[in-house]
Amino acid sequence: MATTAAPQGLKPVKRADGMPYAGATTEYLIDPAGEATNIFNGQIVILGTDGYIALSTATGADLTSNAIGNVTGTGALGVFVGCSYTNDQGQTVHSNYYPSGKLNGKALVVDDPDVIFQVQADAAMQQADLGMNAKLAAVQSTSTGSTATGNSNTALDADVIAAGAAAAFRVVGFVSEPTDAFPDVLIKFNPGAHQMRNDKGAA
């Protein structure tokens, strides 16, 4: 039973077509001069208007005023799973997370819109939540993760979105019993919440 709240962000587990997730990522640049936030493993990232990746600061409660992208309808780029950057000694460091302000950052992002992610919910759910839309439990920020492990503490909001309403994620399965105190859930980006499945650019 999942009885402890210990979210670690979004973890890729498989593809929607039934194939296993084989670890594919795409490398994107972080602002070479340094991004002003930590980016933790398992956090959702976007393409900023400058063409560099940045942390998404929306919960995805809808795809208009609270869209997961930086501009309504642009969608998220994917999920951050590691990076490299230049440390204060001028050395290249490979890291589970990106520390704020580091130079020459290069991020690894799971940007396949068909990947299914495992995430912990912030409270008990129910079987009827399968197939419903959902959002993040809280806004991601520079402090929503652990600098010790590098992992995000992003969680899914257990209160699903009303039937027929849009949101960033679709609940597609349960890893633990949905009625556990903090169940692990399988989710997928909805088409309008992922930039590779909509008709608007990043800017």
Side-chain angles (χ1 to χ4, degrees), residues 94-187:
H94 296 273
S95 176
N96 199 35
Y97 85 105
Y98 171 79
S100 171
K102 296 301 182 183
L103 306 180
N104 304 314
K106 296 179 180 179
L108 297 176
V109 178
V110 180
D111 60 359
D112 183 344
D114 290 320
V115 169
I116 291 173
F117 296 89
Q118 181 173 333
V119 63
Q120 190 176 60
D122 66 346
M125 299 181 71
Q126 54 186 333
Q127 185 63 33
D129 293 335
L130 186 66
M132 296 293 285
N133 289 337
K135 63 182 180 68
L136 300 181
V139 170
Q140 300 178 129
S141 74
T142 192
S143 60
T144 51
S146 167
T147 57
T149 66
N151 285 325
S152 163
N153 59 20
T154 297
L156 189 74
D157 194 328
D159 293 327
V160 296
I161 304 299
F169 309 101
R170 178 70 54 86
V171 177
V172 298
F174 297 104
V175 178
S176 56
E177 290 295 325
T179 53
D180 284 355
F182 302 99
D184 281 300
V185 182
L186 297 178
I187 62 171

